[in-house]
Amino acid sequence: MKRLLGLALGIIAALGGFVDIGELVFNSQAGALFGYRTLWAVVVGVIISVVLAELSGRVAIVARKANFDLVREQYPRWLSTTTLVAGLAVCLITLSAELGGLGLILHYVLGWNEGFFTLVGLLIIVAASLLLSFSMIERVFGYLGLGLVVYLIALFHHGPAWHEIGRGFIPGGGGPQYWYFIVGMTAAAIMPYEIYFYSSGAIEEEWTTKDLSMNRANSGLGFPLGGLIAASLTIVAAQQLMPLGLTPDSLGTVLQQAMHELGPIAFYAAVVGAFAAIGGATIDSAFSCGYALAQHQGWPWGETKGIRGAPRWFATMLAAVGIGFAIVQTRVHPTQLTEYAVIASAVAMPLSFYPIVRVSQDRQVMGEHASGIVARPLAWLSYAVVCVVAIAGPILMLVTHLGALDR
């Protein structure tokens, strides 16, 4: 019973943590601009996230090595340092965007100064990081993040055009702006901090080979359920905003969709869900900064060790939150930061993920748990897509001026 409860909680935590500010922004904008035509990008992103999460979790369980342990061991010093710098930069930009998103949500609901509420969001994140255990952080933010299920309910409430939605899951063509959103939606589903956090979390929670089935279930069920919510954001935006010619340029517009369809209760459920999802992503990003640096440098790390057991890890995590707050105070809009974070993550992904794919297939390290005839090609295919996204993302960002071209 205890293992079943742990499995259920793990799936719910994965579901609540999948959707962050990247999905809220990119998926809603894509639905408003292109209707259902970009839904297949959600499927691609979910498949890759499932593959990479399962690989990283399996390597962490069997080899007891998290992402940047592998980076340090598999790369020459100059390349591992380059990967570290890229990973830290992406995590910091992501952290800034998520932190700004917390301020935006509180400002939108309560109407006071946005900068003040960003500080409130920062204090909530720091308090949760210091006072809650690792498992409680996952579960509290994961459960509250389930408020985003209202978008799935709104999808059915509107009377979906199933035939048109189904066609959206078939890859199609389009102009540069269309492909910019395809790349953005794919990258938003596989942000590096998610894998940094997942692989480190398996070690934090002291999973053993007995938990390999739990790892498969958490990645194979939790991420697709999160992807279902991400797809519902696109569909609801296509149903409500596209006919009006409106493109959501703020989190407020995204949240209003729930109220327009289902009323005020759904609106507040969406607010709680979005705040928890973005707050969870903020913590994940902050932790990931600490994980990346500590693992690369060989320092003790982890929330479970406490401040005395891992002082430099905690210092790095708190410093990352401080830097993220400082970036937000430059008044750059969180939505714009989100787009930069998503595209920057695409560039960092190949360097970060290659060691995971490689080690997962190494029988000297993994023994009987090395990737087999199905997992091996699936891993390399996923990695190939990651590389394509890494090349296409920056090019499309420049060509479309962050997706600003007309359709």
Side-chain angles (χ1 to χ4, degrees), residues 339-395:
E339 298 197 41
Y340 283 121
V342 169
I343 299 303
S345 73
V347 177
M349 286 188 294
L351 286 174
S352 296
F353 297 158
Y354 175 76
I356 295 173
V357 175
R358 187 169 185 269
V359 172
S360 68
Q361 302 174 12
D362 189 341
R363 292 199 173 275
Q364 290 186 339
V365 177
M366 300 295 293
E368 63 180 317
H369 302 294
S371 297
I373 57 174
V374 175
R376 187 185 296 259
L378 194 56
W380 284 117
L381 180 59
S382 298
Y383 185 73
V385 175
V386 165
C387 292
V388 171
V389 168
I391 295 170
I395 295 173

Side-chain angles (χ1 to χ4, degrees), residues 33-84:
L33 286 169
F34 303 104
Y36 310 123
R37 291 170 54 203
T38 60
L39 285 172
W40 65 273
V42 177
V43 177
V44 173
V46 167
I47 291 173
I48 295 174
S49 66
V50 168
V51 171
L52 292 175
E54 192 281 327
L55 292 179
S56 65
R58 177 153 46 91
V59 171
I61 290 170
V62 176
R64 310 306 298 170
K65 297 180 187 296
N67 200 156
F68 272 87
D69 292 322
L70 302 177
V71 167
R72 184 186 71 244
E73 295 176 0
Q74 295 294 316
Y75 288 156
R77 184 68 180 181
W78 69 270
L79 188 54
S80 69
T81 302
T82 301
T83 306
L84 173 66

Side-chain angles (χ1 to χ4, degrees), residues 167-187:
R167 290 177 60 185
F169 289 101
I170 301 173
Q177 188 191 35
Y178 171 80
W179 287 107
Y180 172 77
F181 277 94
I182 291 294
V183 167
M185 292 171 67
T186 303

Side-chain angles (χ1 to χ4, degrees), residues 147-148 150-151 153-154 255 257-273:
L148 292 173
V150 295
Y151 289 99
I153 298 172
L255 296 173
Q257 293 178 81
M259 181 168 64
H260 176 75
E261 194 66 44
L262 300 173
I265 295 178
F267 168 76
Y268 287 109
V271 168
V272 172

Side-chain angles (χ1 to χ4, degrees), residues 150-201:
V150 295
Y151 289 99
L152 187 58
I153 298 172
L155 182 163
F156 288 98
H157 185 263
H158 194 86
W162 291 114
H163 178 69
E164 293 298 319
I165 291 174
R167 290 177 60 185
F169 289 101
I170 301 173
Q177 188 191 35
Y178 171 80
W179 287 107
Y180 172 77
F181 277 94
I182 291 294
V183 167
M185 292 171 67
T186 303
I190 48 177
M191 297 285 279
Y193 79 84
E194 296 175 2
I195 303 303
Y196 301 165
F197 185 82
Y198 190 85
S199 65
S200 301

